Amino acid sequence: MAYRSGFAAIVGRPNVGKSTLLNYIVGQKVSIISDKPQTTRNRISGVKHLPDGQIVFFDTPGIHLAHTHFNQKMVQTALSCIHEVDLVLFVVEPDVVPGEQDTFILDRLRSIKQPKVLVINKIDLIKPSLLMPILDGYGKRGGFSEMIPISAGTGGNVERLVSIAMALMPEGEPYFPEDVVTDQPVRFLASEIIREKVVLKTRHEMPYAVAVSVEEYKEDPVKDRVRMQVTLYVEKESQKGILIGAAGGMLKEIGKAAREELEGLLGVSIYMELWVKVKKDWSRNNRFLKEMGY
Ligand code: GDP
Ligand code: MG
């Protein structure tokens, strides 16, 4: 059998479970997850290796009708991706009638020539009898090579989705060696995990105001650990206070959670220093966004 390899974009509106799906497929956290929309900011790659081929998945920021400059940038990142891949996976929630955002994406997908697969996620949340009407609704809009219900949360049917995707990949040589699951540098992975903990721990107090920069990531062979210096940028003095917390408690908690997860992921022990700095209106500062990789 010929070896297949190619690129697949995971697109959809915010919060449908794109990042959860990617992490499940590659079997490791490469993309951060939260129940708050717009957590994924960049294009994140995850590589799935199978005996008969390899798929490089791109997780993308949610596509939505964006109003702020920063959000428009993220939507552009997602949309530019769909023309550069071999396959598009359009992830939706199990709604019988596609909403405004999903209709917007359906329209964007119409013009692309590559195969498209409709992925109906979170089916663990609905009665099985609802599935037929959903498939009918999207089926009528046509254009999908396949439509498949899954649960990225429990892993239900994900294996089948992967084999459908593999069958749609072109024949070709692998792009990555077998031990590579992402092309993200460790530094970036680390900054994303720290950002996830900020969103998780500060909950409703802190919206999307934090950018994370790993200033130093150094292996220390003598102490047999990695030393990290990290700066968290916020937009206002008041946000700095929230992030640091009473007696530095919040920052400590964020650091501890991030460190533990990274140590598990990388298999090394980590010494992490976190600093908080105010960078006024960073999300509207083009040069800063570029520096941060957005
Ligand atoms: P994204 O914005 O599309 O990347 O969505 P995320 O992967 O960050 O997930 C958004 C929320 O949906 C998180 O709270 C996930 O835990 C949840 N979620 C993802 N997949 C499933 C699923 O299959 N079932 C259920 N019940 N929840 C899910
Ligand atoms: Mg995401």
Side-chain angles (χ1 to χ4, degrees):
M1 203 164 47
Y3 191 88
R4 296 180 179 277
S5 70
F7 296 84
I10 304 173
V11 303
R13 70 180 157 79
N15 227 23
V16 293
K18 300 179 293 299
S19 300
T20 306
L21 175 61
L22 178 66
N23 291 338
Y24 189 89
I25 289 175
V26 302
Q28 178 195 308
K29 174 114 117 220
V30 288
S31 195
I32 67 178
I33 297 170
S34 95
D35 57 3
K36 292 190 160 211
Q38 281 124 265
T39 308
T40 307
R41 289 180 179 171
N42 306 67
R43 177 163 108 170
I44 310 285
S45 68
V47 189
K48 178 68 177 178
H49 303 272
L50 287 171
D52 55 339
Q54 170 180 96
I55 310 174
V56 184
F57 289 93
F58 289 122
D59 185 13
T60 62
I63 300 172
H64 59 286
L65 306 159
H67 298 298
T68 69
H69 173 66
F70 183 49
N71 283 345
Q72 279 163 0
K73 257 191 132 70
M74 288 196 286
V75 171
Q76 240 157 36
T77 301
L79 285 174
S80 67
C81 196
I82 62 177
H83 296 282
E84 299 164 8
V85 291
D86 302 295
L87 169 69
V88 174
L89 302 178
F90 177 30
V91 183
V92 298
E93 286 193 5
D95 308 314
V96 176
V97 180
E100 185 189 25
Q101 313 248 37
D102 289 319
T103 307
F104 173 76
I105 302 169
L106 277 168
D107 289 342
R108 294 294 168 298
L109 292 181
R110 202 152 290 147
S111 63
I112 68 163
K113 309 214 159 44
Q114 304 94 314
K116 290 166 273 185
V117 169
L118 181 77
V119 179
I120 302 162
N121 189 31
K122 306 195 186 182
I123 50 158
D124 53 296
L125 297 179
I126 60 156
K127 287 200 294 256
S129 62
L130 272 177
L131 204 53
M132 273 323 281
I134 296 169
L135 289 168
D136 267 357
Y138 278 97
K140 271 198 226 108
R141 297 176 175 260
F144 293 108
S145 308
E146 301 259 5
M147 298 191 289
I148 176 165
I150 66 157
S151 169
T154 67
N157 231 11
V158 174
E159 208 173 311
R160 193 168 140 57
L161 169 63
V162 171
S163 63
I164 288 173
M166 186 61 87
L168 292 165
M169 289 293 117
E171 287 179 16
E173 296 296 307
Y175 290 95
F176 291 98
E178 210 165 315
D179 56 347
V180 172
V181 293
T182 180
D183 67 352
Q184 261 104 247
V186 173
R187 248 172 210 262
F188 177 74
L189 216 62
S191 71
E192 286 289 277
I193 283 171
I194 296 163
R195 201 160 61 80
E196 179 184 75
K197 301 312 170 209
V198 171
V199 175
L200 200 73
K201 299 274 177 196
T202 59
R203 304 291 342 168
H204 304 290
E205 297 167 71
M206 187 77 74
Y208 308 103
V210 179
V212 178
S213 169
V214 177
E215 322 281 1
E216 186 188 84
Y217 183 97
K218 237 211 231 93
E219 278 160 39
D220 179 344
V222 178
K223 292 197 171 138
D224 193 24
R225 66 179 188 187
V226 167
R227 195 191 142 80
M228 289 179 67
Q229 284 240 49
V230 181
T231 306
L232 307 176
Y233 289 100
V234 291
E235 303 202 293
K236 294 186 196 119
E237 224 26 79
S238 61
Q239 295 165 336
K240 183 172 170 179
I242 294 172
L243 204 51
I244 293 175
M250 175 64 87
L251 200 60
K252 232 178 250 166
E253 256 187 61
I254 291 167
K256 180 165 182 281
R259 182 175 52 76
E260 285 173 355
E261 183 162 335
L262 269 168
E263 286 179 337
L265 200 64
L266 303 172
V268 291
S269 88
I270 291 173
Y271 173 77
M272 193 189 300
E273 253 173 41
L274 291 176
W275 301 91
V276 183
K277 281 189 192 154
V278 179
K279 181 124 190 159
K280 227 173 148 250
D281 295 331
W282 65 258
S283 70
R284 276 184 276 158
N285 180 337
N286 265 327
R287 222 181 73 203
F288 182 74
L289 291 180
K290 211 167 190 168
E291 270 169 35
M292 299 297 294
Y294 295 133

